[in-house]
Amino acid sequence: MCEQGGWECHFLPVSSCHVEDTRTGNRIDYDHKLAIRMRGHKPYQVDLLAWRGILADYLMRPNPLMLQKIQELKVAASWPMKTSEKVLALHIRRGDRMVTRRPVSVAQYLDATYEMLQRSVFHFVFLCTENDEVAATVEKAFQGDSRFLGVGLLFDRAETRNSVENSRVLEVSHSKAVKQHAQTAIANLLLMSSTSHMVCGFGSHYARLA
């Protein structure tokens, strides 16, 4: 278990190098098999946004503890076992965003989701949000709106993530709750990034990172 928090509480070490490797005369072997390839393009042909994605993908490699958390979330959300069943991620942020600016309505997110369903075949939509009311609204739409007929909704109904402000309060007196909050948020993020397409607002750093 992770007791002190920090990067390696959730991810693999950034490097396996040691202090001795930096000393004069020591040599670090380079494995050319690790060279980055992206959709057949050579490294110099990939734009800056793609390189940021490649870097984030490497830095955020989940450790065994996080892999276990991801698996638990998959089970709770009834994630499909067949890789042939495509999943569309839907991220609807609320939390502190409700205070700083007027949020995009759930109806607009659902319209955008339907547009994506028209463009390609998706068997499931994975909902990622920290707001119970949003979850209830989306779930009701998938149950009664003919636009989403035959498309499954993936969502962990037992999950209760809090807003940024609530997290600051938790950090003072409930360190265990903060760790659980972080684990769930990261697990959601990594699941979102594993899908082929996303519906999200780019005003959210969380969505942009995914």
Side-chain angles (χ1 to χ4, degrees), residues 23-69:
R23 300 186 185 282
T24 304
N26 290 344
R27 179 178 178 180
I28 303 175
D29 293 329
Y30 173 72
D31 185 355
H32 292 278
K33 294 180 181 179
L34 297 178
I36 297 174
R37 296 191 181 97
M38 187 172 182
R39 297 182 181 177
H41 296 296
K42 296 180 180 179
Y44 61 83
Q45 295 175 322
V46 180
D47 60 25
L48 182 59
L49 179 61
W51 274 112
R52 288 174 177 171
I54 292 170
L55 180 61
D57 184 59
Y58 173 78
L59 292 176
M60 298 183 69
R61 294 164 297 141
N63 65 13
L65 183 64
M66 180 52 60
L67 286 173
Q68 180 182 345
K69 184 64 179 180

Side-chain angles (χ1 to χ4, degrees), residues 59-108:
L59 292 176
M60 298 183 69
R61 294 164 297 141
N63 65 13
L65 183 64
M66 180 52 60
L67 286 173
Q68 180 182 345
K69 184 64 179 180
I70 292 172
Q71 186 57 38
E72 290 173 358
L73 181 57
K74 280 186 172 183
V75 172
S78 300
W79 196 270
M81 300 298 292
K82 297 179 181 178
T83 56
S84 59
E85 295 180 316
K86 291 179 63 177
V87 178
L88 171 67
L90 170 59
H91 176 248
I92 304 179
R93 178 188 177 186
R94 289 297 184 258
D96 64 311
R97 205 62 170 179
M98 297 288 287
V99 179
T100 58
R101 65 178 62 182
R102 182 179 179 181
V104 177
S105 69
V106 176
Q108 289 175 284

Side-chain angles (χ1 to χ4, degrees), residues 126-160:
F126 172 54
L127 174 62
C128 182
T129 184
E130 74 278 57
N131 187 283
D132 290 335
E133 292 182 8
V134 168
T137 301
V138 173
E139 187 171 25
K140 183 178 180 180
F142 271 75
Q143 291 173 346
D145 193 329
S146 59
R147 296 181 300 173
F148 306 113
L149 186 65
V151 180
L153 181 64
L154 307 177
F155 182 69
D156 180 10
R157 289 158 184 79
E159 179 190 345
T160 54

